Amino acid sequence: MPRPRTLWYRAARRAVYVEIDGKQHRLAKGPDNDETWERAQLAYHQLMAEILANPPVDGGDPTVASVIDEFLEYSVKRDAPSTYYERKLYLQDFCTHHGPRLVRGCTPFQLTKWVDKHPTCNSDWTKHYAMRCVMRPFNWAVKMKLIEENPFAGVDWPECVGQRRPMTTEQYEALLKGAGKRSRLGEILRFLWNTGCRPSELRQLRWQDVYLEVRNPAIVLQKHKTSRTQRTPKPRVIPLMPEVVGLLVQIRARQEHDEFVFVTQRRTPWARSSIQQALRRLRREIGLPEDVVLYGCRIRLGTNSVRNGNGLRTTADLLGQNNLRVTERYVHPTDQIDQLAAAMERATRSD
């Protein structure tokens, strides 16, 4: 049975706790004295005020915060840690602005205004991602029959449905020159340019997945973006060309981290926003347009693969994609025009 709503001191953890609806909350940490208990009482009253302001999500009239809190508890057990972490950052910020608001009183206007003022949402692609993060808990709540409809349905999405552009050789060389070939950002650029990896795969790459002392050096990812959508999960194999092998050998020789391959100067794994900010600063320093992004390295490799004769299935395997319809995006309009022109010439040729 759950404990009554009385505070108690847990000596093993040197903290005061309270249990509410089967969930234990730590109120104050410290020795078992009057000062610790006073802080615990204050924290208890603040906690109860928050609970009263945010009724249970299944109570019939939930707030934005209660829906998001319940969704995060659901998500942490099912989604990849990196996915959960990135969504949580946006959802916590949205709760800061609209958490106490009742779901039935929300409108698409609030979501649009929030994303327009968010300090990291500078591009339409980032705004689109942030809005999807916020929409997801409420779509989930509709599916779970906790609310009747998503209050943000019908919002105007940023116009970023077109293809992202592949990074050109000139842009890559300009970035590499500005960053420095041996700088940490330079190493990231060289790796992505020569592997076509997703930036998220770079951030999460571990030494245990890197095989350099074999006949065909490669990275083998047992867990990757598409493994959860495969009927029989298969590892993602990324062949490594000599330049990448040399780069990884140099990084390994520095012995900066036992687990992660790419780390910051503080010897910590890169965060998504940290790499974006570093690239944004460099891009503005050397005068490149805002749509020159790291993902352009991946698009460039996929485009070159198709253009140089690799079939869609082979290109999909190189990029770690299951759906050929996604890979078809790398067949750019200029390539299609050339192919159609050649086909028209053959079709109209007289016997």
Side-chain angles (χ1 to χ4, degrees), residues 117-162:
K117 291 186 176 182
H118 197 283
T120 68
C121 294
N122 297 306
S123 70
D124 286 341
W125 289 98
T126 308
K127 289 180 180 179
H128 196 280
Y129 177 75
M131 291 169 69
R132 283 195 293 117
C133 287
V134 174
M135 290 286 282
R136 191 170 180 85
F138 299 93
N139 288 333
W140 169 82
V142 172
K143 185 178 179 180
M144 295 294 171
K145 300 188 183 303
L146 298 173
I147 58 177
E148 292 185 1
E149 61 180 2
N150 187 332
F152 307 112
V155 67
D156 288 333
W157 293 90
E159 295 185 6
C160 54
V161 295

Side-chain angles (χ1 to χ4, degrees), residues 69-141:
D69 287 345
E70 197 68 31
F71 171 77
L72 288 175
E73 287 191 18
Y74 173 88
S75 174
V76 71
K77 300 175 183 177
R78 293 166 175 82
D79 294 327
S82 59
T83 302
Y84 171 79
Y85 173 75
E86 291 181 2
R87 284 179 184 159
K88 184 179 179 181
L89 292 178
Y90 283 118
L91 291 174
Q92 285 179 331
D93 188 82
F94 191 75
C95 273
T96 300
H97 294 81
H98 300 290
R101 193 185 298 273
L102 292 174
V103 172
R104 58 180 169 81
C106 293
T107 64
F109 170 77
Q110 283 128 19
L111 177 56
T112 302
K113 189 172 182 179
W114 168 79
V115 78
D116 286 342
K117 291 186 176 182
H118 197 283
T120 68
C121 294
N122 297 306
S123 70
D124 286 341
W125 289 98
T126 308
K127 289 180 180 179
H128 196 280
Y129 177 75
M131 291 169 69
R132 283 195 293 117
C133 287
V134 174
M135 290 286 282
R136 191 170 180 85
F138 299 93
N139 288 333
W140 169 82

Side-chain angles (χ1 to χ4, degrees), residues 30-48:
D32 188 3
N33 57 26
D34 291 342
E35 180 184 353
T36 302
W37 280 95
E38 287 179 5
R39 288 190 288 110
Q41 288 285 351
L42 178 61
Y44 173 70
H45 290 304
Q46 292 174 341
L47 175 63
M48 292 305 298

Side-chain angles (χ1 to χ4, degrees), residues 224-279:
H224 50 92
K225 182 177 180 180
T226 57
S227 61
R228 288 176 294 168
T229 62
Q230 296 172 332
R231 292 183 178 180
T232 303
K234 299 178 182 179
R236 165 152 156 66
V237 179
I238 306 168
L240 300 178
M241 296 296 98
E243 180 175 347
V244 182
V245 173
L247 171 63
L248 294 176
V249 168
Q250 292 174 2
I251 295 175
R252 187 174 61 180
R254 298 201 297 256
Q255 298 182 348
E256 294 180 329
H257 204 284
D258 294 334
E259 183 179 5
F260 290 95
V261 177
F262 293 94
V263 294
T264 66
Q265 291 182 346
R266 297 182 179 180
R267 310 297 191 266
T268 58
W270 283 92
R272 178 173 179 263
S273 58
S274 300
I275 299 181
Q276 288 178 337
Q277 290 172 2
L279 182 67

Side-chain angles (χ1 to χ4, degrees), residues 202-214:
L202 175 141
R203 297 196 312 270
Q204 301 165 26
L205 183 61
R206 291 167 167 79
W207 287 115
Q208 66 184 24
D209 299 323
V210 180
Y211 298 86
L212 299 178
E213 287 79 18
V214 294

Side-chain angles (χ1 to χ4, degrees), residues 4-17:
R5 292 187 181 181
T6 55
L7 283 58
W8 81 92
Y9 186 80
R10 181 174 290 175
R13 297 189 178 180
R14 292 171 52 82
V16 179
Y17 284 79

